[in-house]
C-alpha cells in the first residue's frame, strides 16, 4: 500500500469517528433521550420463581440496571402465559395488562384469570422509558401454584394419639414406578415440625418447618420439587415432631406425573406405617434427645419386608386423627434455615470432666458435634447466655426451659450430629460426658433463623455506634423464627405486639421482611375475636386479650410494608380487622381517654420502675392511660391514611375526626401548663407527646426545653422504657437537640447501650440492668433496639417518603454530628440499593449518594454556603438535573433523579 492510500484511509476513518461522536453528543443533548437499561430481579410475591403459591392476587416487581442518571420508567406491560413460547410472541393468554402509563415497578397486582392448582405460569415485563417507542423486554420468569382448594387435598390427617405421647413419630412408605417420571411434587404439613427424606436424603434445606401459627386457624404447608430424589424404587420417611403443636400430626401428598401423560398420588391416608426412632424426644424449650443406637439404615431400603409385623411391637398403624381445624395455606415466607456456621471461640474445663464452649456471641441456633467414643456414651449439652463465677453455665433466667441436648453414641468411629427439632438462645454450652477432652474443632456453631435477606448496612467513625448497631442486628436476627419473637432462650419466645410497635422500623432497615410481615399480620388477625379485640401475642399463647392499646404494631405491620415495599394489598386485605381493633379501643375510652393499660412504657431503668409487681417493669412516672390514649390517636391517624389510600372517603373523615377528638382529649388531660410538659413531665411523656405532634408550634419549644433539661439533669442518660426510647432520640434530633440525642446514644454508663457492651453483651438485654436470676432477664431481647433505626434515619439519613411508597421517592437527610468524622449507610430497597455516605475534613464535607433507577430523592446537602456545593467538581447551583427546593437550617434541599453523586460543600 502506498503512503497516499494509507493516509487517505486514515482521514476517512477520522471523519467517520468525528461523525459518530457528533451523533453521540447530539443524542446526549436531547431534552428527553433514550437511556440504555435492562430489567432485572423479577419477583412474584417478593420471591424469585416461587413454587407452590396460593395467593389469588400476587404482586409483581422488578428493578433496572443502568449506568445512566435520571432513569424513569414511563410505562410497563405485564404478560402472563401458560407457556413460555407464548411470551416469546408477546402473547399473555392468562393476563395481558396492556400498556400502563406508570412508573410503578413494585407492588403491581395481578388482575388476570383465576389460577388453576398445581400449574406453572410464566411472565415477563415490557418497559418503556423516555421517548423511545419500542419497549425493552425482561427475561422470562415463572411461578407455580400449590393446592388452591381444600378439595385438592385427597389425604386425611394421621398421627398416633393413643400412644407415644410427646414423641417424634416416623412415618414410612415405599413406592415404585414402571415408567419415567417427568414431574414430582410433595405438599407437606407435618405439625409441629417435620422433615422429609427420600431414599435416605433429606429433601430441601428447611429446618423447623413449617412456620408456626394458630393451628386452629391456619396451617402452613411446604411445596417441594422432589423429582431429583426419585429412583425406580423408593423409600420415603417423614419425621414429625411435636413443635409448637404438641402432638405430631401429618397431612401430605406426593404427586407424580409420567411421560405418557398419566399421574399418580400418594397421600397421608396411605402412609400408615408409623414408629419411633433415634430422635427419642424433641421440644422447642427443652431440647432434643438423640440415641444413635436406634438409627435404622434399613428404613431407606425400598422394601416393606423390614417390617416383620404390622401392627407389632415396633411398628404401628397410624390412625386418622382429628384435623387441627386451620385452613391449609401455602408457606410463602422465607423458611427457617441454618444461615451461618462458624467455629466457637474457645472450650474450657472449669471443673474436671465439665467443659464449657464459648460461641463468642449470643445467638439463636444450635451446636453440631463430632465425637468418637464407646457405644452408649451419653453426651449432655446445656445451653445458657451467662456463666456463674466458677465458669459453669447459669440457666436461671431460662426459667422452666431445660435447653438441653443429649446425644448417645452408637460406637461406630467418628459420629457427627446436630439437632433437628429444637433451637436455643445461647452463648455458652456446658458439655458433660464427652469421651476424652474435646477440641474447638469438634464443634460447629449454627446460626438458625428465618432466612430473610439482610437489607441495611451502617458504619461510622465512632466504633461504639458500630458495635451498638451490630448488637441490634444480631438481636433482631436471633428473634426471627417465622414470628418476631421477644427472645430465643427461655420458656416464652412469643410474638409480643407491644415490643414490636417500636421494633418494626429497626427491623425493616436491617432485613427484608416483606413476606415475613405479610405472614405475621395474618397471625395477628387470627387472634381477633368478634368484638375486635386482638391479643398481646400472635399466635396467641401468652399475655391477654384484649391486647395493651400500645399494640399499634398491628397497623404498623401494614403501614411499614406500604412505606418500604409499596404493598397496598396488605392494607386492603386486613383493613376490616385493623378497623375493628381501632373501633374496639374507641369503645374502651371515656371522654376520649382510653381507660386501660397493662404495660405502657415497659421496663424503664429500675429506679423508675414499680417494685414488687409485673417483674418490676411498670413505669412509676409514665401514666398508662397517657400511653394508651396516645396510641389510640396514632392508630386512628394511621387508619385514616389507609382509608385515603383505598379511596374510602367516609372512613378517612371518620378516623381523622376520631384522631382529632382523641388528640384534644390527650391535650386536655395530660398537658401541664405550669410545668410546660405532659403527664409527669418526664422523658417518656414529653417525647411521646412530641412524636404524636401533640404540643403544636406554641408549646413545642417548652416541651423540647424540658426534655433536653431532663436528659442533661440525668447526666445525658435516658429514663425511658421500651417504647419511648425510640421517641426520645427522634424528638431531640428533629427539634434542635441532635447533639443531646447523640450523647444518649453514645453513653457508656448505666443505663445505656454502651453499658450493655461494657458488661460483655453481644445482643440487647431485656432490661437496662445486668440481671441473671429466674425473672425477666433475657440477654437477647430486641425491644430496646430502636436506636438501630435512629442510626439509619438520622446518622446515615435514609428515610422513606410515605407519600410515595416503595421508595418511588425518598429522603436523604443526614445530621452531621460534632464527634463524627464520617458515616455511611446503605439500604436495599425494592428499587435497588440506596447509599448515603458523608465525611468531613478541614472545613469540607463530602457527601456521596446513590439513588436507584426509577426512583427520585429529596436530598438535604449539608452546607454553610449554598454556592460552595459542587457535584463531581461542578457547581450544583443552576446545573441541569438538580432542582433546588429551599434552604433548611444548614442544608440545601434539592430534588435529584437516579444515579451516583459526589457532592462537596463548605462545612
Amino acid at each position: 500500500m502506498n503512503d497516499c492510500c494509507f493516509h487517505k484511509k486514515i482521514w476517512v476513518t477520522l471523519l467517520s469517528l468525528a461523525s459518530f461522536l457528533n451523533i453521540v453528543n447530539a443524542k446526549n443533548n436531547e431534552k428527553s433521550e433514550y437511556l440504555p437499561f435492562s430489567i432485572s430481579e423479577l419477583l412474584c410475591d417478593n420471591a424469585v420463581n416461587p413454587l407452590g403459591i396460593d395467593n389469588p392476587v400476587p404482586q409483581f416487581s422488578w428493578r433496572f440496571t443502568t449506568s445512566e442518571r435520571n432513569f424513569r420508567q414511563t410505562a410497563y406491560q405485564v404478560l402472563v402465559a401458560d407457556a413460555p413460547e407464548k411470551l416469546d410472541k408477546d402473547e399473555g393468554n392468562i393476563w395481558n395488562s396492556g400498556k400502563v402509563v406508570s412508573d410503578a415497578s413494585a407492588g403491581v397486582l395481578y388482575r388476570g384469570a383465576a389460577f388453576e392448582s398445581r400449574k406453572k405460569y410464566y411472565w415477563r415485563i415490557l418497559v418503556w422509558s423516555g421517548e423511545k417507542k419500542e419497549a425493552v423486554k425482561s427475561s422470562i420468569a415463572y411461578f407455580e401454584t400449590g393446592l388452591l382448594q381444600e378439595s385438592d387435598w385427597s389425604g386425611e390427617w394421621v398421627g398416633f394419639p393413643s400412644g407415644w405421647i410427646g414423641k417424634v413419630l416416623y412415618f414410612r412408605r415405599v413406592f415404585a414406578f414402571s415408567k419415567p417420571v417427568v414431574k414430582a411434587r410433595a405438599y407437606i404439613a407435618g405439625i409441629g415440625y417435620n422433615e422429609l427424606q427420600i431414599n435416605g436424603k433429606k429433601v430441601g434445606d428447611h429446618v423447623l418447618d413449617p412456620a408456626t401459627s394458630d393451628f386452629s386457624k391456619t396451617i402452613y404447608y411446604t411445596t417441594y420439587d422432589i423429582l431429583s430424589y426419585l429412583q425406580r424404587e423408593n423409600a420415603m420417611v417423614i419425621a414429625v415432631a411435636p413443635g409448637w403443636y404438641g402432638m405430631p400430626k401429618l397431612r401430605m401428598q406426593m404427586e407424580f406425573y409420567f411421560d405418557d401423560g398419566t399421574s399418580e398420588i400418594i397421600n397421608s391416608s396411605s402412609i400408615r406405617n408409623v414408629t419411633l426412632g433415634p430422635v427419642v424426644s424433641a421440644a422447642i424449650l427443652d431440647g432434643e434427645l438423640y440415641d444413635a443406637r436406634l438409627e435404622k439404615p434399613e428404613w431407606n431400603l425400598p422394601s416393606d419386608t423390614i417390617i416383620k409385623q404390622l401392627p407389632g411391637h415396633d411398628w404401628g398403624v397410624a390412625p386418622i386423627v382429628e384435623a387441627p381445624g386451620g385452613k391449609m395455606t401455602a408457606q410463602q415466607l422465607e423458611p427457617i434455615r441454618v444461615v451461618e456456621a462458624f467455629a466457637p471461640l474457645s472450650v474450657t474445663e472449669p471443673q474436671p470432666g465439665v467443659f464449657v464452649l464459648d460461641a463468642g456471641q449470643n445467638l439463636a441456633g444450635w451446636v453440631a458435634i463430632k465425637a468418637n467414643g464407646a457405644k452408649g456414651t451419653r453426651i449432655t449439652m446445656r445451653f445458657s447466655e451467662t456463666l456463674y463465677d466458677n465458669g459453669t453455665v447459669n440457666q436461671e433466667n431460662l426459667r422452666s426451659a431445660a435447653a438441653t441436648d443429649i446425644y448417645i453414641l452408637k460406637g461406630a468411629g467418628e459420629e457427627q450430629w446436630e439437632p433437628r427439632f429444637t433451637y436455643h438462645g445461647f452463648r455458652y454450652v456446658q458439655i458433660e460426658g464427652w469421651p476424652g477432652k474435646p477440641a474447638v474443632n469438634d464443634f460447629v456453631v449454627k446460626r438458625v433463623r428465618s432466612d430473610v435477606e439482610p437489607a441495611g448496612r451502617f458504619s461510622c467513625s465512632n466504633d461504639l455506634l458500630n458495635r451498638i448497631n451490630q448488637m441490634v442486628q444480631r438481636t433482631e436476627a436471633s428473634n426471627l423464627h417465622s414470628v418476631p419473637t421477644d427472645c430465643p432462650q427461655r420458656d416464652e419466645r412469643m410474638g409480643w405486639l407491644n415490643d414490636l410497635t417500636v421494633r418494626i422500623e429497626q427491623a425493616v432497615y436491617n432485613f427484608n421482611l416483606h413476606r415475613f410481615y405479610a405472614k405475621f399480620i395474618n397471625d395477628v388477625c387470627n387472634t381477633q375475636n368478634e368484638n375486635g379485640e386482638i391479643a398481646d401475642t400472635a399466635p396467641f399463647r401468652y399475655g391477654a386479650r384484649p391486647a395493651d392499646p400500645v399494640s399499634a404494631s398491628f397497623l404498623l405491620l401494614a403501614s411499614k410494608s406500604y412505606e418500604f415495599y409499596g404493598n397496598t394489598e396488605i392494607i386492603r386485605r386486613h383493613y376490616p380487622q385493623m378497623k375493628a381493633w381501632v373501633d374496639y379501643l374507641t369503645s374502651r375510652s371515656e371522654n376520649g381517654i382510653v381507660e386501660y393499660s397493662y404495660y405502657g412504657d415497659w421496663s424503664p431503668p429500675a429506679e423508675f420502675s414499680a417494685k414488687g409487681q409485673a417483674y418490676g417493669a411498670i413505669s412509676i412516672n409514665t401514666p398508662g392511660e397517657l400511653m394508651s390514649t396516645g396510641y389510640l390517636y396514632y392508630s386512628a391517624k394511621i387508619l385514616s391514611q389507609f382509608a385515603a389510600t383505598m379511596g374510602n372517603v367516609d372512613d378517612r373523615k371518620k378516623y381523622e375526626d376520631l384522631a382529632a377528638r382523641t388528640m384534644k382529649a390527650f391535650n386536655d388531660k395530660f398537658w401541664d401548663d405550669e410545668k410546660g410538659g405532659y403527664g409527669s413531665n418526664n422523658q417518656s411523656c414529653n417525647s411521646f407527646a412530641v412524636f404524636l405532634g401533640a404540643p403544636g408550634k406554641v408549646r413545642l419549644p417548652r416541651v423540647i426545653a424540658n426534655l433536653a433539661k431532663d436528659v442533661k439533669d440525668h447526666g445525658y442518660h435516658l429514663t425511658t422504657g421500651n417504647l419511648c426510647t425510640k421517641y426520645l432520640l427522634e424528638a431531640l434530633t428533629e427539634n434542635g437537640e441532635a447533639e443531646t440525642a447523640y450523647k444518649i446514644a453514645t453513653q457508656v454508663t448505666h443505663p445505656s447501650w454502651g453499658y450493655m457492651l461494657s458488661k460483655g453483651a453481644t445482643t440487647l438485654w431485656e432490661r437496662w440492668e445486668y440481671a441473671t436470676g429466674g425473672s425477666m432477664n433475657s440477654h437477647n431481647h430486641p425491644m430496646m433496639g430502636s436506636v438501630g433505626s435512629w442510626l439509619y434515619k438520622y446518622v446515615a439519613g435514609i428515610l422513606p417518603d410515605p407519600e410515595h411508597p416503595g421508595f418511588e421517592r425518598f429522603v436523604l437527610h443526614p445530621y452531621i454530628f460534632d464527634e463524627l468524622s464520617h458515616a455511611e449507610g446503605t439500604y436495599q430497597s425494592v428499587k435497588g440499593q440506596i447509599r448515603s455516605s458523608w465525611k468531613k475534613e478541614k472545613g469540607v464535607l463530602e457527601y456521596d449518594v446513590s439513588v436507584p433507577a426509577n426512583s427520585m430523592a429529596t436530598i438535604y446537602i449539608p452546607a454553610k454556603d449554598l454556592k460552595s456545593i459542587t457535584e463531581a467538581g461542578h457547581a450544583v447551583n443552576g446545573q441541569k438535573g438538580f432542582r433546588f427546593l429551599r434552604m433548611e437550617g444548614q442544608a440545601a434541599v434539592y430534588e435529584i433523579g437516579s444515579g451516583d453523586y459526589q457532592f462537596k460543600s463548605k462545612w
Side-chain angles (χ1 to χ4, degrees), residues 498-499 502 600-603 720-726 783-784:
N498 65 325
D499 295 354
V502 291
D601 190 28
W602 183 249
S603 197
T720 48
N722 65 338
L723 302 177
C724 292
T725 295
K726 171 181 170 64
M783 72 181 185
M784 298 299 189

Side-chain angles (χ1 to χ4, degrees), residues 267-288:
N267 62 35
S268 46
S269 295
S270 66
I271 304 171
R272 308 299 287 277
N273 299 344
V274 64
T275 189
L276 302 178
V279 182
V280 177
S281 64
I284 295 167
L285 303 179
D286 292 339
E288 185 166 312

Side-chain angles (χ1 to χ4, degrees), residues 440-513:
V440 168
N441 61 6
D442 290 327
F443 306 96
V444 178
V445 180
K446 302 286 185 81
R447 191 187 310 278
V448 178
R449 63 167 171 82
S450 292
D451 193 13
V452 294
E453 293 182 353
R457 294 173 63 101
F458 172 86
S459 64
C460 69
S461 56
N462 186 332
D463 191 54
L464 174 61
L465 289 178
N466 296 333
R467 293 170 64 208
I468 290 172
N469 183 63
Q470 182 186 56
M471 183 166 62
V472 172
Q473 288 179 324
R474 283 177 173 172
T475 309
E476 185 62 40
S478 297
N479 286 281
L480 297 172
H481 284 84
S482 78
V483 298
T485 58
D486 62 327
C487 59
Q489 77 295 90
R490 70 182 179 215
D491 56 351
E492 196 166 349
R493 314 186 197 189
M494 300 293 168
W496 279 95
L497 299 187
N498 65 325
D499 295 354
L500 194 62
T501 292
V502 291
R503 173 183 166 188
I504 283 179
E505 198 167 51
Q506 164 272 121
V508 295
Y509 273 112
N510 281 311
F511 295 97
N512 180 352
L513 298 173

Side-chain angles (χ1 to χ4, degrees), residues 54-370:
D54 64 355
N55 184 1
V57 189
Q59 302 179 46
F60 299 109
S61 65
W62 55 94
R63 295 182 184 177
F64 298 98
T65 301
T66 177
S67 60
E68 302 291 341
R69 285 184 178 177
N70 300 310
F71 173 83
R72 294 295 283 179
Q73 169 187 294
T74 55
Y76 70 84
Q77 185 174 7
V78 184
L79 298 175
V80 182
D82 54 12
E85 297 81 12
K86 293 176 181 175
L87 293 180
D88 289 334
K89 302 174 184 177
D90 292 343
E91 180 185 345
N93 66 313
I94 303 301
W95 183 44
N96 183 341
S97 69
K99 184 177 180 180
V100 180
V101 177
S102 169
D103 59 5
S105 57
V108 175
L109 298 176
Y110 174 78
R111 298 299 188 193
F115 297 132
E116 299 176 25
S117 293
R118 311 174 177 91
K119 189 166 184 177
K120 182 177 284 189
Y121 295 89
Y122 302 85
W123 65 286
R124 80 177 338 156
I125 301 295
L126 284 69
V127 167
W128 290 262
S129 178
E131 295 179 353
K132 185 73 174 179
K133 293 183 179 180
E134 294 181 6
V136 172
K137 297 179 183 180
S138 73
S139 58
I140 295 175
Y142 66 84
F143 58 92
E144 183 175 307
T145 54
L147 305 181
L148 305 183
Q149 308 296 330
E150 176 62 30
S151 58
D152 292 326
W153 290 88
S154 59
E156 303 288 346
W157 286 94
V158 296
F160 206 76
S162 56
W164 300 335
I165 303 300
K167 301 290 187 179
V168 176
L169 302 182
Y170 290 79
F171 299 86
R172 183 176 182 273
R173 166 74 191 259
V174 298
F175 54 98
F177 306 113
S178 60
K179 46 193 172 182
V181 181
V182 295
K183 174 183 173 182
R185 297 290 184 264
Y187 306 96
I188 303 179
I191 57 174
Y193 295 135
N194 70 80
E195 182 179 284
L196 168 66
Q197 290 189 359
I198 297 177
N199 299 319
K201 294 181 180 179
K202 178 183 173 180
V203 175
D205 59 359
H206 302 189
V207 298
L208 304 178
D209 213 40
T212 189
S213 61
D214 179 341
F215 300 101
S216 70
K217 304 286 183 62
T218 304
I219 299 167
Y220 291 100
Y221 69 88
T222 307
T223 303
Y224 291 109
D225 181 347
I226 57 173
L227 183 63
S228 63
Y229 295 88
L230 299 178
Q231 303 169 6
R232 187 176 181 85
E233 296 181 331
N234 304 275
M236 178 216 71
V237 176
I238 305 176
V240 185
W244 283 108
Y245 189 65
M247 179 184 294
K249 292 184 179 181
L250 172 67
R251 192 183 199 189
M252 67 90 69
Q253 63 193 53
M254 295 187 293
E255 301 186 353
F256 308 99
Y257 300 84
F258 304 103
D259 64 349
D260 63 0
T262 60
S263 62
E264 180 182 342
I265 292 178
I266 295 175
N267 62 35
S268 46
S269 295
S270 66
I271 304 171
R272 308 299 287 277
N273 299 344
V274 64
T275 189
L276 302 178
V279 182
V280 177
S281 64
I284 295 167
L285 303 179
D286 292 339
E288 185 166 312
L289 167 58
Y290 189 94
D291 190 342
R293 298 170 300 179
L294 301 178
E295 292 176 347
K296 305 294 183 187
E298 62 269 24
W299 286 358
N300 297 318
L301 299 174
S303 170
D304 272 335
T305 59
I306 67 167
I307 301 177
K308 304 304 181 184
Q309 183 181 358
L310 186 70
H313 181 270
D314 296 322
W315 289 88
V317 176
I320 304 298
V321 297
E322 183 179 354
K327 178 184 178 183
M328 302 296 289
T329 304
Q331 180 169 294
Q332 293 182 236
L333 77 162
E334 295 85 350
I336 298 174
R337 292 188 174 102
V338 175
V339 298
E340 185 183 0
F342 58 93
L345 189 65
S346 64
V347 177
T348 60
E349 188 176 9
Q351 296 176 0
V354 176
F355 305 95
V356 174
L357 175 153
D358 181 359
Q361 59 180 271
N362 205 336
L363 74 151
W366 55 65
V367 171
I369 66 172
K370 60 178 182 179

Side-chain angles (χ1 to χ4, degrees), residues 601 604 608 619-623 626 675 677-688 703 706-707 710 714 719-720 724 728:
D601 190 28
F608 306 104
S619 173
I620 56 176
N621 296 320
T622 307
L626 179 147
K675 294 178 180 177
Y678 286 82
S680 65
N681 200 32
N682 69 349
Q683 292 178 18
S684 294
C685 294
N686 282 333
S687 63
F688 186 44
V703 178
N706 272 328
L707 188 58
D710 191 88
H714 286 92
T719 64
T720 48
C724 292
L728 173 65

Side-chain angles (χ1 to χ4, degrees), residues 577-858:
Q577 291 88 354
M578 293 185 287
K579 177 179 175 179
W581 169 239
V582 174
D583 289 345
Y584 172 76
L585 289 180
T586 307
S587 75
R588 293 294 303 271
S589 64
E590 185 173 346
N591 298 321
I593 303 299
V594 179
E595 45 79 22
Y596 81 100
S597 171
Y598 312 141
Y599 315 114
D601 190 28
W602 183 249
S603 197
E607 64 181 292
F608 306 104
S609 299
K611 305 299 185 289
Q613 57 174 307
Y615 301 103
I618 297 289
S619 173
I620 56 176
N621 296 320
T622 307
E625 60 182 9
L626 179 147
M627 300 300 299
S628 295
T629 303
Y631 276 110
L632 172 57
Y633 163 80
Y634 186 35
S635 297
K637 194 72 175 174
I638 294 172
L639 195 65
S640 71
Q641 293 164 354
F642 288 168
T645 298
M646 296 190 304
N648 188 332
V649 177
D650 291 341
D651 272 8
R652 182 190 68 182
K653 185 176 189 311
K654 173 182 176 181
Y655 291 101
E656 279 181 349
D657 291 347
L658 171 62
R661 292 195 306 272
T662 306
M663 177 54 71
K664 183 179 186 305
F666 183 91
N667 273 305
D668 290 347
K669 173 77 172 179
F670 300 113
W671 170 251
D672 187 328
D673 195 61
E674 183 178 343
K675 294 178 180 177
Y678 286 82
S680 65
N681 200 32
N682 69 349
Q683 292 178 18
S684 294
C685 294
N686 282 333
S687 63
F688 186 44
V690 172
F691 167 75
L692 297 174
K697 291 183 179 179
V698 175
R699 294 173 176 173
L700 183 60
R702 294 182 67 191
V703 178
I704 294 299
N706 272 328
L707 188 58
K709 181 178 184 301
D710 191 88
V711 171
K712 294 167 187 175
D713 289 347
H714 286 92
Y716 293 96
H717 289 93
L718 51 76
T719 64
T720 48
N722 65 338
L723 302 177
C724 292
T725 295
K726 171 181 170 64
Y727 309 134
L728 173 65
L729 294 178
E730 296 186 357
L732 291 168
T733 305
E734 292 180 2
N735 291 281
E737 292 287 347
E739 294 299 329
T740 302
Y742 180 87
K743 289 178 181 179
I744 295 171
T746 56
Q747 183 61 257
V748 295
T749 56
H750 174 266
S752 68
W753 296 282
Y755 175 74
M756 296 182 191
L757 289 167
S758 74
K759 294 298 182 181
T762 60
T763 48
L764 296 162
W765 300 342
E766 185 173 18
R767 317 191 83 116
W768 293 110
E769 296 74 35
Y770 181 85
T772 60
S775 181
M776 197 186 85
N777 299 318
S778 166
H779 285 230
N780 195 338
H781 223 83
M783 72 181 185
M784 298 299 189
S786 57
V787 64
S789 55
W790 180 80
L791 294 173
Y792 283 102
K793 292 170 66 176
Y794 300 101
V795 184
I798 300 172
L799 301 99
D801 181 348
E803 298 298 318
H804 302 278
F807 287 87
E808 186 177 298
R809 292 173 181 257
F810 62 95
V811 177
L812 294 168
H813 186 187
Y815 287 74
I816 311 303
F817 295 93
D818 292 345
E819 290 186 10
L820 291 183
S821 61
H822 68 82
E824 178 175 0
T826 62
Y827 177 71
Q828 294 292 339
S829 76
V830 292
K831 299 285 190 179
Q833 179 171 284
I834 296 167
R835 178 172 177 256
S836 176
S837 175
W838 59 266
K839 178 175 69 174
K840 59 182 179 180
E841 187 176 9
K842 296 180 180 179
V844 174
L845 189 133
E846 299 179 11
Y847 188 25
D848 297 346
V849 303
S850 296
V851 178
N854 203 35
S855 187
M856 299 184 72
T858 300

